[in-house]
Every structure is written in C-alpha cells, then in structure tokens.
Amino acid sequence: MSNARIPDHVVVVGAGLGGLRTVETLRAEGYAGRISLVGAEPHPPYDRPPLSKEILAGAWPDERAALRDPDELAALGAETHFGVAAVGVDESAVELSDGTRLAYDALVVATGVRARLLPFQPEHPAVHTLRTLDDCIALRSSLAGARSLLLVGAGFIGAEVAATARTAGLDVTVVEALPVPFERVLGEQMGALCAQLQEENGTQVRAGVRPERFTDAGGRVGVRLVDGTELVADCAVVGVGTVCDNGWLAGLGLAPDAPLSCDYRGLVDGSSAVYAVGDIAAWAHPTRGEAVRLEHWTSATEQAGVVAKRIAGTEITREADLVPYFWSDQYGLKLQLVGRPERAERVEVLHDPGTIKGTVGGYFAEGRLVAALAFHAPRPLARYRRMIGAGADEAQVREAVAELASR
Ligand SMILES: Cc1cc2nc3c(=O)[nH]c(=O)nc-3n(C[C@H](O)[C@H](O)[C@H](O)COP(=O)(O)OP(=O)(O)OC[C@H]3O[C@@H](n4cnc5c(N)ncnc54)[C@H](O)[C@@H]3O)c2cc1C
C-alpha cells in the first residue's frame, strides 16, 4: 500500500468498458468506499466490438453484448445512474442531467468518444453512424431491408460493417478519400492489402475520391463525389473517425473537444483528483513522454486497472502494457495490430505465404521493430509483440522470421 489518502467517494463518469473495469478493479483491490457509476446511455455497460460484427449480423442476441449480468453488477456495490449524463463539474462535485449533484473525492472520466459526422451529413433514416448499441440496432434494421450499402470512410469499423453486410449478401461500396485505404494508419503497402481483402470478397473500393454531398435519390441514399460521380444505395454508413465531447468538463478548465492529457498513470494534467481512461484519454508515454491516445479495447481495460489501483492505494508494479494491441474481424480473418505503426520509418512484409491470410507486416523505426500487423497469424504476432516490448533490433527480427518460417 502507498501512503496516499484513499478517497471516500469515487465518481466514475462513463459506464462503458473503461468505467466498468475501473469499478471492478477498485473492488478487486479492496476499495471499500462509496462508488457512483454514471452512464448517459440507458443500457448497463456493454461491449462495443460485437456491434460491427456478431450483433450487427444478427448472429448474437443483443443481450450478449452486456459486459456483466445484473447480479454481477449489483455485487460491485456501486450506485448506478444509467440514462443520466454528467452535464457539469467543478473541483468538488459532478452535476447530472437529472439534477443530482455528486460530490467526489476522486473522479474518473471514462466517457469514450462520439462518431464524427460529415459537415453535410443529412438527418436521414438510412444514413447511419455506428458507436452505440442503439446505433447498431438501427443500422441492422436498415440493412435487413436493403440490397446495397455505401460506406463513406474506410476505417476499421467501416471495414467490419462492410464485411458483415457483404457476408449477408448486400452489394457494398466503400468510398475513401485517401488514395489507399488505411494508408495513414498502416502505411501504403499494408493498407493496400486491407483494400485487397475487401475487393477479393466482392466489396467495391473507390479510393482517392472525396464525397461532396448527399443527394435525394427517391427514398434511397445518393452521394455525389467530387469527380462528379453519383453513387446510390439503399443505406449508408459514415465512418470518418471520432470526436471528443468534453463540454461538461468546462468547469475544470478543460477544452470541450480535445482528448484529456494525463500523466503516465492517468491523472489529468493540472489536477490532483481527476483521472481519465479509455478512448478519451491521452496518457504520457512513461519513458518517451509523448501523449498517446488509443481507441483500443485492450488499452481501455489496462488503463482502468492502473487508475483503479492508484486510487485504491495499491502499489503498481508494472505499467499498463506498453505495446498496444488492436484486433479486427473481417471476412473470417482476424487482423491483429500490435505496437505503434505511426512511428514507423519503414514497413516490410515479414511473412508472405502468397495469400492475404498468414501475411505479417513489420514496422521499423530507428532500426527497431515498433509495430506488426498480422492477417490471421496469431502465433507470429504474439512473438513480435514480445519483441516490440523488448526493443528488438532488425537482426533479431530476421532470426525470428527465419525460425517461424522453418516451423
Ligand atoms: C462498433 C465498434 C467496434 C469496435 N471494435 C473493436 C475491435 O474489434 N477491437 C478493438 O480493440 N476495439 C474495438 N472498438 C473500440 C473499443 O470498443 C473502445 O476502444 C472501447 O469501447 C473504449 O472504452 P471506453 O470506456 O473508453 O469508451 P466507451 O466504451 O465508448 O464507453 C463510454 C461511455 O460513456 C458514456 N458517456 C459519454 N459522455 C457521458 C457523459 N457526459 N455522462 C455520462 N456518460 C457519458 C457513453 O455513452 C458510453 O456509454 C470498437 C468500437 C466500436 C464503436
């Protein structure tokens, strides 16, 4: 135990993955004080990854997205405020949309992010974004009566929606402003492979052209591209990234639309009682110092663990995993990304079996492996993840490549 004072009342705002994991870890670490969990959505905490996969496909019932059953939630002994948003805050209390004022000794912000909208996006029942369970249910119902889908933006969530719709037999077209989808995140070579995966499965990819406006297509959805082409589909999904929505934190002097900058263990800069975890949080890297924000399931879980331990006064012996991990399921393949590809100076295919399945790309900076992307190759990926953590150089990576290839 550290000597820091243990707070009497912890208020956790945001009842998604990060919020729930914070509460669970607080209790697991023996914190016996009062906990309040506030969530703007009416649903108890649920998981988002199945919203673009099994729940959207109708392969799982909606209830299966729930992260815990009601008994498990009740056993945490937290006061829950679901369907109620935090609308204001000062140095000592959070104000809720139902008028409740919750005084806090420690505040954890786990509010995630919102889907970004296009400036010209219409309010139309067949034009969707996907962030919440309710978004997923609305999209699923549109897809059920549709024969074609248009995706604006080729991020991971969009690619998964495309795969789910295509697997269900819809005609799917993806429009992406970048010349190569995923280029910014994965680099040209690996991004092209992601696009190839879509195309090999019958999804049309139109890259390098920007949508200009939505058009009225007689009950269907039309999108006019800057090159003059008009695409028409029964429904559309806009997947152009996310935005931070921190207006309620203005009372703490925080920007309304920027990630929350934190130290390397989640304490918001300039505060002694406010922490942030998950998609909304930008934690300082413990050794390099730069702020890193990750919209990854694993990262929200790990950060919640660190912050809860810190609040409960438990000694933290290991930092949150320094090698980020993200996965995506598309067309029966599991794509797995470890590390920080945006740091790379050079990308190289490490394993090329001649098919997309089994291909592994390595990302290098300053002679070291900084990231790896695997298309359904979990074993090599696990090895490279450890190597990234250990700071492996190019020679060590070559040895591993040769050894893995000889198996
Ligand atoms: C469709 C989809 C698929 C995904 N698939 C993958 C995947 O395959 N792999 C992967 O690694 N990651 C995936 N992710 C990302 C992953 O789900 C997120 O990184 C994770 O959910 C982040 O957790 P969080 O607690 O920060 O935020 P969230 O899970 O978004 O929870 C935040 C909660 O806070 C609530 N909230 C916001 N503002 C307020 C307020 N003012 N007051 C009260 N409550 C508030 C929100 O309503 C929300 O319920 C996916 C995300 C989506 C949307």
Side-chain angles (χ1 to χ4, degrees), residues 52-407:
S52 45
K53 310 175 183 76
E54 298 86 351
I55 304 273
L56 184 64
W60 288 4
D62 298 349
E63 304 74 57
R64 204 163 152 189
L67 282 163
R68 299 292 174 260
D69 66 36
D71 290 346
E72 289 169 324
L73 267 187
L76 293 171
E79 293 162 32
T80 55
H81 303 257
F82 296 151
V84 179
V87 291
V89 64
D90 59 27
E91 303 289 344
S92 61
V94 177
E95 188 192 330
L96 307 188
S97 54
D98 64 0
T100 308
R101 216 178 131 75
L102 288 174
Y104 67 85
D105 303 298
L107 171 63
V108 180
V109 181
T111 47
V113 284
R114 278 179 194 256
R116 181 189 296 281
L117 304 180
L118 289 167
F120 49 85
Q121 189 166 327
E123 287 250 355
H124 187 293
V127 177
H128 299 265
T129 52
L130 178 56
R131 179 75 201 173
T132 67
L133 179 58
D134 293 344
D135 293 342
C136 171
I137 292 169
L139 173 59
R140 192 178 58 203
S141 128
S142 274
L143 291 177
R147 282 197 304 206
S148 54
L149 168 71
L150 184 61
L151 266 144
V152 181
F156 279 107
I157 292 174
E160 289 187 344
V161 172
T164 300
R166 186 70 204 120
T167 306
L170 276 76
D171 288 334
V172 181
T173 305
V174 179
V175 178
E176 166 59 45
L178 291 173
V180 177
F182 295 101
E183 191 182 340
R184 207 173 289 146
V185 194
L186 300 178
E188 197 179 328
Q189 203 174 2
M190 291 294 125
L193 217 52
C194 289
Q196 193 185 326
L197 177 63
Q198 301 271 4
E199 285 169 333
E200 280 185 7
N201 286 280
T203 292
Q204 289 191 43
V205 179
R206 296 193 57 136
V209 61
R210 203 174 281 281
E212 191 175 56
R213 61 188 160 95
F214 281 83
T215 57
D216 183 1
R220 303 177 78 208
V221 184
V223 172
R224 170 73 63 102
L225 308 181
V226 286
D227 66 3
T229 319
E230 183 164 343
L231 302 172
V232 177
D234 295 327
C235 72
V237 173
V238 175
V240 292
T242 57
V243 289
C244 302
D245 186 6
N246 294 333
W248 69 280
L249 288 165
L252 295 178
L254 296 164
D257 52 3
L260 298 179
S261 287
C262 301
D263 72 6
Y264 71 104
R265 286 177 177 172
L267 185 68
V268 171
D269 292 349
S271 170
S272 57
V274 183
Y275 302 83
V277 303
D279 289 3
I280 191 67
W283 284 26
H285 188 280
T287 51
R288 287 194 302 275
E290 83 230 21
V292 182
R293 186 170 80 89
L294 299 163
E295 294 181 39
H296 297 177
W297 191 97
T298 313
S299 166
T301 306
E302 288 168 347
Q303 291 181 343
V306 170
V307 161
K309 284 183 180 162
R310 191 169 177 180
I311 293 172
T314 314
E315 196 181 331
I316 300 168
T317 47
R318 176 174 164 268
E319 299 312 330
D321 198 338
L322 299 183
V323 184
Y325 171 79
F326 179 85
W327 82 94
S328 174
D329 298 327
Q330 298 172 32
Y331 306 102
L333 298 192
K334 188 167 287 295
L335 278 60
Q336 293 172 297
L337 177 66
V338 289
R340 306 263 312 278
E342 75 282 5
R343 292 189 55 217
E345 295 151 0
R346 193 171 70 72
V347 187
E348 182 186 322
V349 176
L350 302 178
H351 299 269
D352 180 4
T355 52
I356 297 181
K357 183 175 180 179
T359 300
V360 181
Y363 296 74
F364 294 88
E366 294 163 10
R368 310 215 167 258
L369 187 67
V370 293
L373 172 69
F375 292 82
H376 219 81
R379 272 237 191 129
L381 192 89
R383 172 88 173 260
Y384 295 127
R385 187 180 191 184
R386 289 194 297 277
M387 294 183 80
I388 294 166
D393 63 23
E394 301 209 17
Q396 290 168 311
V397 174
R398 306 257 160 270
E399 264 175 47
V401 169
E403 198 192 312
L404 286 160
S406 69
R407 282 191 188 161

